[in-house]
Amino acid sequence: MREQELDWEQRTAERGKHARPVLDRLEKWLKENQYRYRPQSSMGKAIDYTLPRWAGLSAYELHGQMEIDNNLIENAVRPLANGMKHYPFAGSHQAAEMTAAMYSFKASCKKNTINEFEWLKDVFERIQSLKQKDLHQLLPSNWKKYRDNPIS
């Protein structure tokens, strides 16, 4: 679906058509076999791990905007992993948290094909004039939509 560049509505429809039957069969199998395996066995542990998380694990099928995996994010933050050994030298815990937040925004800009400098400049120029309930407009995932037509 990525290669076909389907929009999120199309992805939702495709997932409902193809993934839903597989997910239904898997959930049924997990429930049927929950007590067939010893809790300490590998399969028992896998089932016990999966069932309480089922809603979250299968949620991607209901929302085409969600990815089935975190590969895109992993690839976006991989270059930052080398910096992790330097975070203890950020000066303070708060500085390290701010650095992590900026890396997150940078990765979000990259994912949304946004020029990071343009985004940050616009955020600094507009943030004081926005009400708290409208700050979502400045998130990289919403920025293009609200940049030219802000809701205030």
Side-chain angles (χ1 to χ4, degrees):
M1 288 187 274
R2 285 180 192 152
E3 291 171 2
Q4 295 173 355
E5 298 181 5
L6 300 182
D7 64 30
W8 71 267
E9 290 102 342
Q10 293 168 316
R11 289 170 63 153
T12 302
E14 286 294 309
R15 289 174 180 175
K17 183 176 165 184
H18 299 288
R20 181 78 267 151
V22 175
L23 290 168
D24 288 342
R25 285 195 315 268
L26 179 56
E27 182 180 25
K28 181 181 176 190
W29 185 91
L30 288 167
K31 289 178 178 177
E32 288 173 354
N33 289 280
Q34 183 175 12
Y35 301 108
R36 290 190 183 164
Y37 294 92
R38 296 174 63 197
Q40 295 305 313
S41 70
S42 295
M43 186 61 75
K45 288 179 183 178
I47 293 171
D48 287 344
Y49 177 85
T50 304
L51 280 175
R53 295 166 175 80
W54 187 254
L57 291 169
S58 59
Y60 81 94
E61 181 261 327
L62 301 171
H63 307 285
Q65 293 168 309
M66 294 176 67
E67 296 293 338
I68 190 172
D69 56 42
N70 65 350
N71 290 345
L72 294 175
I73 298 301
E74 289 284 338
N75 290 338
V77 299
R78 185 168 287 118
L80 310 175
N82 290 336
M84 288 176 62
K85 64 184 173 187
H86 302 294
Y87 295 155
F89 306 104
S92 69
H93 182 72
Q94 185 178 9
E97 285 180 340
M98 292 304 296
T99 301
M102 289 309 297
Y103 279 137
S104 295
F105 283 126
K106 181 176 176 155
S108 293
C109 285
K110 187 174 183 177
K111 180 186 184 297
N112 290 285
T113 60
I114 293 172
N115 178 298
E116 297 137 20
F117 178 77
E118 282 182 42
W119 171 79
L120 193 57
K121 181 178 181 288
D122 185 60
V123 167
F124 285 147
E125 289 172 354
R126 292 182 29 210
I127 197 165
Q128 293 295 322
S129 64
L130 287 176
K131 295 177 182 169
Q132 185 174 358
K133 69 179 181 64
D134 297 323
L135 289 177
H136 70 278
Q137 297 177 21
L138 300 177
L139 293 173
S141 56
N142 298 330
W143 183 70
K144 285 181 183 178
K145 177 180 176 182
Y146 293 107
R147 176 181 48 183
D148 298 322
N149 301 312
I151 298 172
S152 297

